[in-house]
Amino acid sequence: MVSTYNVDLGRPTHATANACLYPLYAMDGKHVVTVEGLGSAKHPHPVQQRIALLHGSQCGFCTPGFVMSLYTLLRNNPKPTELDIEECFDGNLCRCTGYRPILDAAKTFASDAWKAGANVGKDGIARAPETESKGCGIEGCCQTKKPFSLPDPARVNGVSEASECAKTSEGCCKGAKGSEGCCKTKDANWANVEKSEAVAKFRAYDATQEPIFPPFLARYVRGETESAEAQRRELHLRATQDDAQCTQVFRPLTLDSLLEIVTEHPTAKLVAGNSEVGVEIKFKRTQFATQVYVGDVPELRTVERCANGVEFGVNITLARFEHELRALSRELPEQSQCYAALLEALRFFAGNQIRNVATVAGNIATASPISDLNPVFLAAGSVLTLVSASGSRQVPISEFFLGYRRTALAPGEILHKVFVPHSRPREIVRAFKQAKRKDDDIAIVTCAMRVRVDDAGRVEEAAYAFGGMAPTTVLAKSVGAASVGSTWGDAALLGQLVAACHAELQLPYTVPGGMAEYRTALACSFVRKFWTLSCAALGSGDIEPQIVSEMEEDERTVSHGQQAYERVSDRAI
């Protein structure tokens, strides 16, 4: 967990990050907590203890990552929902234990975990809630017949009655249920019995007892340290070895200083989240002799609302970008089509640990032909602000990508802002992505499409942007031309659009990445999907509601899992 003092918010913020990708020079002024700093074997943190007691660790390889993801969530939100908890594990994988016990342990911290089932009193005895005087809270309890819900560990103080009752043949109903059986008999689900015993051992979690952000670091970041203390300053680190892969690193604190550095070192590699550069260095052995860390330049992290759109500083992280987009979607529901499309693209963009450090600038400047965000920027008609020591200029993003991994950036020039316009009335913008798996995977084809119609349903503007269909993110101009002036919803127009897309986006069989015919078919299917969804939204054409429902993304609900086994008798052993 990397904690940073946010000057704008006036408080620290906490984020998970991959240690293997976080540069050491980026740690200045930050507070780092690793799993070793949470607790020990004798005195574990409640997160560690609960995962251990509920069997959430087997080989243990993934456990530190799960622990730190959950711990970071609790530091930012001490009362998360079960959905918040599941989402915080976005970038964590487990290959042997399985997710059920991990989630069982994690969800005991959820604010909605104790709304049903048993409570544990101060005497340590598990009882059914409020109206019931007995019962253990185990699923299908013979006294309450309520769904299983673990008792609140914050109220545990002793040994649960469940563990004692379960040792008798009578159980908590004293045999009153007769042939129906008792929840505690040998024929019951013993997994729930043992689970209630483990819960009785939980240490209470008190968010107020967590270590505070070091006051010195807060003053250090604000520039308020005493003269005898360390002062925050710009860094220039030099390698001591002649054969070093990186010979020097700069860390500027202002935009002017950054521009001076890139003017003097026009070939320097700019580093922010290091999610791209770090991989190239670690696995491709690429050498960048001069690196410039831009993560501490505040002018690159601004968000400015204008009359007709929003200017985002390109160095905001994807996590913050997502947060800002959600706020815009709530506040400007009639003008948020472009922002909603960007949220669609971010929904399956990497994992939390990457989104917490990766930036919008990295997505644009790397000019990847299969970028997730660039098609949306292109379809929306976004405009980039480029800045150098000699001044600034604005470039439509449609003119920014010149070729494979080549952009319109001149030597000594950097990305400063990206302008995303508000959507207008009767305008629909959607983004789609197809990969080999839904989450955390590189795209085969990405796209974003925009159409605006007048009151009569005639198309005034249309844009179809695709990634994975050329050396750069491209606009399918023939598809857009076929749309403008036509009546949206006319069945004949759909065939024309698909035919134009198929003709324009042909790939040779030798194309990098292969799957030439499949990628063209994907692009055409996205056109059909956009047509269906946009017609339904605009009330154009004769679209069956069932087809619309089938094409929309399913909203994942909170997952549930249960373990079941019987008690093994002494005779059986």
Side-chain angles (χ1 to χ4, degrees):
M1 182 183 78
V2 180
S3 301
T4 307
Y5 188 82
N6 189 308
V7 177
D8 296 329
L9 297 178
R11 61 176 175 83
T13 57
H14 314 284
T16 53
N18 291 315
C20 60
L21 292 177
Y22 218 111
L24 182 61
Y25 52 71
M27 290 298 182
D28 183 51
K30 299 177 177 63
H31 184 231
V32 182
V33 178
T34 66
V35 71
E36 293 84 1
L38 294 190
S40 63
K42 291 184 177 180
H43 302 286
H45 188 277
V47 170
Q48 297 170 308
Q49 185 205 33
R50 296 185 193 186
I51 288 179
L53 288 177
L54 290 183
H55 310 291
S57 180
Q58 189 166 319
C59 77
F61 189 80
C62 71
T63 306
F66 277 98
V67 167
M68 293 311 302
S69 290
L70 180 56
Y71 176 73
T72 303
L73 172 67
L74 295 174
R75 291 300 303 270
N76 286 317
N77 179 13
K79 295 183 178 180
T81 65
E82 291 189 356
L83 183 59
D84 292 335
I85 288 172
E86 289 199 358
E87 291 297 327
C88 89
F89 292 141
D90 191 359
N92 296 91
L93 299 175
C94 173
R95 297 192 178 194
C96 62
T97 304
Y99 297 99
R100 181 200 56 77
I102 297 172
L103 290 173
D104 276 355
K107 288 177 181 178
T108 62
F109 292 95
S111 60
D112 50 359
W114 323 119
K115 293 180 179 178
N119 293 320
V120 176
K122 294 182 178 180
D123 56 2
I125 297 177
R127 295 185 178 87
E130 298 179 0
T131 57
E132 302 286 350
S133 60
K134 296 181 180 179
C136 58
I138 288 177
E139 182 176 21
C141 174
C142 56
Q143 284 284 51
T144 65
K145 294 297 182 183
K146 289 183 175 292
F148 176 70
S149 182
L150 296 178
D152 186 348
R155 300 174 58 187
V156 171
N157 181 23
V159 179
S160 169
E161 183 183 40
S163 60
E164 297 300 321
C165 180
K167 296 177 181 178
T168 71
S169 59
E170 294 180 338
C172 58
C173 68
K174 308 301 181 184
K177 294 298 177 181
S179 60
E180 294 184 20
C182 174
C183 61
K184 299 297 183 58
T185 64
K186 64 180 180 180
D187 297 324
N189 181 5
W190 201 255
N192 284 339
V193 176
E194 293 192 346
K195 187 180 291 185
S196 68
E197 292 178 341
V199 169
K201 301 175 184 177
F202 282 1
R203 293 177 56 201
Y205 175 68
D206 186 353
T208 65
Q209 299 305 303
E210 294 288 4
I212 64 172
F213 186 81
F216 166 75
L217 287 181
R219 292 187 289 107
Y220 179 79
V221 173
R222 293 195 301 260
E224 299 174 356
T225 51
E226 302 290 340
S227 57
E229 296 178 313
Q231 306 292 314
R232 194 176 192 221
R233 57 188 176 82
E234 298 184 346
L235 300 178
H236 182 194
L237 309 176
R238 296 178 182 274
T240 57
Q241 297 176 333
D242 296 334
D243 59 345
Q245 289 185 335
C246 176
T247 58
Q248 58 181 342
V249 173
F250 294 90
R251 196 281 302 269
L253 296 177
T254 65
L255 180 59
D256 289 340
S257 178
L258 170 60
L259 294 178
E260 289 179 9
I261 294 170
V262 296
T263 299
E264 185 178 351
H265 305 276
T267 61
K269 191 68 173 179
L270 303 189
V271 181
N274 202 45
S275 56
E276 174 97 1
V277 176
V279 171
E280 291 182 357
I281 293 174
K282 186 177 180 67
F283 296 107
K284 298 181 181 179
R285 302 300 181 190
T286 307
Q287 295 189 14
F288 301 107
T290 300
Q291 299 179 25
V292 183
Y293 178 65
V294 297
D296 291 327
V297 179
E299 295 95 327
L300 298 180
R301 301 196 304 267
T302 59
V303 178
E304 301 175 21
R305 299 193 182 188
C306 311
N308 58 341
V310 181
E311 275 192 328
F312 297 95
V314 293
N315 209 44
I316 62 173
T317 64
L318 297 181
R320 186 189 168 195
F321 189 43
E322 184 177 12
H323 174 78
E324 297 289 346
L325 292 171
R326 292 193 187 283
L328 287 165
S329 297
R330 288 192 303 269
E331 297 170 22
L332 304 170
E334 302 298 324
Q335 301 174 301
S336 63
Q337 284 288 313
C338 294
Y339 311 130
L342 285 165
L343 284 172
E344 281 187 291
L346 286 169
R347 182 178 180 183
F348 302 109
F349 192 121
N352 284 324
Q353 292 89 339
I354 296 298
R355 289 198 297 268
N356 286 337
V357 296
T359 65
V360 174
N363 216 258
I364 298 173
T366 54
S368 170
I370 50 174
S371 163
D372 288 21
L373 296 184
N374 288 341
V376 189
F377 289 135
L378 190 57
S382 297
V383 178
L384 302 174
T385 298
L386 313 183
V387 64
S388 65
S390 59
S392 63
R393 63 187 177 113
Q394 292 188 326
V395 177
I397 197 168
S398 58
E399 302 174 10
F400 184 71
F401 304 112
L402 305 181
Y404 179 72
R405 302 282 184 173
R406 293 191 299 111
T407 69
L409 283 170
E413 199 170 39
I414 66 169
L415 281 170
H416 186 194
K417 299 176 183 179
V418 55
F419 172 78
V420 182
H422 294 326
S423 58
R424 288 166 286 181
R426 297 186 64 76
E427 185 172 61
I428 302 296
V429 187
R430 296 298 299 265
F432 308 116
K433 171 182 176 177
Q434 183 62 50
K436 292 183 179 179
R437 63 184 180 196
K438 200 69 176 177
D439 293 275
D440 227 357
D441 198 5
I442 196 168
I444 300 172
V445 174
T446 58
C447 73
M449 305 180 187
R450 177 176 61 89
V451 65
R452 181 166 61 88
V453 302
D454 59 19
D455 293 337
R458 196 167 297 277
V459 179
E460 294 182 330
E461 288 186 26
Y464 302 80
F466 291 89
M469 300 303 298
T472 67
T473 303
V474 294
L475 282 171
K477 296 181 180 179
S478 63
V479 186
S483 302
V484 175
S486 302
T487 301
W488 198 253
D490 186 349
L493 177 59
L494 174 59
Q496 296 172 19
L497 299 181
V498 172
C501 180
H502 188 273
E504 182 173 354
L505 299 180
Q506 287 290 321
L507 296 173
Y509 285 102
T510 56
V511 64
M515 299 185 288
E517 290 186 3
Y518 175 60
R519 284 152 69 177
T520 299
L522 271 178
C524 294
S525 71
F526 284 144
V527 171
R528 181 179 292 274
K529 183 174 183 178
F530 176 70
W531 163 275
T532 303
L533 297 178
S534 59
C535 283
L538 293 168
S540 305
D542 185 17
I543 306 297
E544 296 182 17
Q546 182 179 353
I547 295 178
V548 176
S549 176
E550 291 172 350
M551 286 189 173
E552 286 286 11
E553 292 286 350
D554 292 331
E555 292 294 332
R556 183 181 64 81
T557 59
V558 176
S559 63
H560 296 280
Q562 185 177 5
Q563 185 181 32
Y565 56 85
E566 296 180 3
R567 185 182 185 185
V568 180
S569 66
D570 296 337
R571 180 173 296 180
I573 294 176

